[in-house]
Amino acid sequence: VIDGHNDLPNVIRERGEPPRDVAAFDLRGHAPGDTDIARLRAGGVGGQFWSVYIPSSPEVGARGFARAQLEQIDIALRVIERYPEAFSLALAAGDVEGAHASGRIASLLGIEGGHAIENSLGALRAYHRLGVRYMTLTHFHGNDWADSATDVARHGGLTKFGTEVVREMNRLGMLVDISHVSADTMHDVLDVAEAPVIFSHSNARALSPTPRNVPDEVLARLPRNGGVVMVSFISLFAVQGDEHARWQAAFEQETGVKLGDAGYDAALARYTALHPEPRATIADVADHVEHVRDVAGVDHVGIGADFFGEPAWMAAGLEDVASYPALFAELIRRGWKEEALAR
C-alpha cells in the first residue's frame, strides 16, 4: 500500500513527550497514537507520504509560516534518518521501487497548505530541494491565491498567482494536492494542470456531504487528468448522509469553534465527552472507494487514511496503520479482484 497522508511528524512536534523530540518518540516500540514500525509492517505499508503539516492559523502566521514549515520538514527527515532499516527517503518513482526492493518503506514528504510558501515561488522551489513532493494548496483557511473548502471564498477559486503556483509545481515535478480546497479551486486546478493531481485525503461528497469531500462533477474530470482520490478513514469525512453534518453544526453552535480555529481539539474533546461523534465503519469507507471507482474509474482511487494520532476519530476497525488489510478484506468480500486491488 502507498498511503497519501499520515501526520506522524506533527504528532511528534505537538504531542511527543517531550514535544519535538524525535529520539524520545520511539517508533521501534509501540508508539503513542496510531503509527509505529511494527504496525506499518502489519498493515502492508510499502510507501508513505508523511505530511509535514503546519497550522494555517493567524497565530502561527504571526511567528512565520516558513519557520514552522522548516522545523516540521526537519522533524520528518530526522525520523526517516533515525530508522534506516525501516524507512528510505524517496524523491522520485525509482526511489519508491528501490525502497520496496530493499524491504523498506518508501518515505515521501507532503506540505499541507500553500500558506507555507508565503506567496513565494522561491520558497516553493526551496521546499522541493528539501525533498517535498506534494503540496496541498490550502488547509482549513484560504490563502492569498486559493480558496479553501472550509473558509469564506475570497477569490472564486485560484488567482493568477495561484495558477502560476500550479504551473511551477508541474514544472518541478511536485504533485498538486487538491484536498482541502474549494470546488471552484478544484476546477481551476484541473483547467490548468499539465500533470495528474492528487487528493491526498478526501472522500466522495455524494455520500458524505461535507465541503471537504469531492463532488461528482470533479470526480468525472479525473480520467482526462489522470489524477487520484486517496480515500480517508476519518469518520468526519466517511459517515454517510447528513448525520455527521448535523452533529458538526451542533458542536460549532454550542462551542463557537470551527475547524481550524485555535482551541478546536480541546473544544472537540470536551464536546464529544457528552455528545459522541458519529462513527464511520469499514463498510462506509469501502462505499467511498467504490463510489470513486464508479464515477472516476478504478485507476483513479487510492488510500490516504489521514492518521493523526487520534484512533477514536477514525472509522471503527481502521484505527491504526495495521488496519489496511481489513479494508482490503471488505473489498474482496464485495467481489474486487486482484488486478483492481493492486491498483
Side-chain angles (χ1 to χ4, degrees):
V1 174
I2 298 177
D3 180 278
H5 197 92
N6 185 308
D7 281 302
L8 175 65
N10 189 60
V11 174
I12 295 172
R13 178 182 173 87
E14 293 191 350
R15 288 182 256 170
E17 296 182 0
R20 308 182 187 215
D21 192 330
V22 170
F25 203 98
D26 184 12
L27 297 180
R28 291 191 178 100
H30 188 87
D34 48 38
T35 301
D36 53 48
I37 293 169
R39 283 182 284 177
L40 286 164
R41 298 294 195 194
V45 178
Q48 180 65 65
F49 280 95
W50 300 109
S51 171
V52 284
Y53 159 75
I54 60 167
S56 56
S57 63
E59 294 81 5
V60 175
R63 297 192 297 272
F65 288 130
R67 171 183 170 180
Q69 189 62 79
L70 290 170
E71 291 175 349
Q72 192 70 300
I73 291 170
D74 173 66
I75 288 173
L77 291 174
R78 285 192 289 134
V79 168
I80 296 166
E81 292 164 358
R82 185 169 179 80
Y83 305 99
E85 77 284 3
F87 302 135
S88 178
L89 180 65
L91 304 177
D95 296 335
V96 178
E97 295 171 347
H100 182 72
S102 67
R104 292 179 292 174
I105 297 166
S107 294
L108 306 100
L109 304 184
I111 284 176
E112 190 171 16
H115 54 285
I117 70 170
E118 297 191 356
N119 302 333
S120 167
L121 294 181
L124 176 69
R125 289 187 285 269
Y127 293 141
H128 182 264
R129 291 188 187 99
L130 289 173
V132 173
R133 289 300 179 265
Y134 80 61
M135 184 172 74
T136 321
L137 299 189
T138 71
H139 194 240
F140 288 138
H141 300 90
N143 54 46
D144 289 338
W145 46 270
D147 287 332
S148 167
T150 48
D151 198 1
V152 176
R154 294 161 51 192
H155 316 297
L158 281 180
T159 67
K160 289 183 179 180
F161 180 75
T163 296
E164 292 306 312
V165 171
V166 171
R167 287 174 173 157
E168 184 64 4
M169 292 174 71
N170 284 172
R171 189 190 70 80
L172 290 169
M174 184 187 291
L175 290 164
V176 179
D177 177 19
I178 46 177
S179 284
H180 277 288
V181 307
S182 70
D184 287 338
T185 304
M186 295 176 194
H187 282 294
D188 285 353
V189 169
L190 289 170
D191 287 344
V192 72
E194 297 181 10
V197 302
I198 63 167
F199 293 82
S200 68
H201 57 306
S202 292
N203 291 357
R205 194 178 297 186
L207 300 185
S208 301
T210 166
R212 265 284 286 108
N213 285 342
V214 189
D216 278 0
E217 60 267 25
V218 175
L219 292 177
R221 296 187 65 182
L222 286 185
R224 182 176 179 84
N225 167 266
V228 177
V229 175
M230 308 182 87
V231 170
S232 169
F233 297 172
I234 292 184
S235 286
L236 171 61
F237 309 134
V239 169
Q240 298 188 44
D242 65 355
E243 179 185 9
H244 204 291
R246 289 187 282 108
W247 180 89
Q248 185 76 18
F251 160 72
E252 292 179 1
Q253 182 175 4
E254 183 167 324
T255 65
V257 177
K258 295 185 177 182
L259 274 172
D261 289 350
Y264 178 85
D265 288 354
L268 187 65
R270 292 192 298 269
Y271 186 79
T272 53
L274 300 174
H275 310 281
E277 181 181 13
R279 192 85 183 266
T281 64
I282 294 175
D284 286 325
V285 175
D287 285 348
H288 281 275
V289 170
E290 294 197 318
H291 187 86
V292 176
R293 177 203 60 186
D294 292 345
V295 179
V298 72
D299 290 331
H300 307 286
V301 60
I303 297 173
D306 195 9
F307 288 116
F308 67 110
E310 293 286 355
W313 292 9
M314 314 304 285
L318 297 172
E319 289 92 352
D320 64 21
V321 294
S323 64
Y324 295 97
L327 175 60
F328 280 82
E330 172 66 18
L331 294 173
I332 290 168
R333 282 191 290 270
R334 295 178 180 213
W336 282 60
K337 303 303 182 185
E338 184 75 16
E339 182 182 0
L341 293 170
R343 293 180 184 275

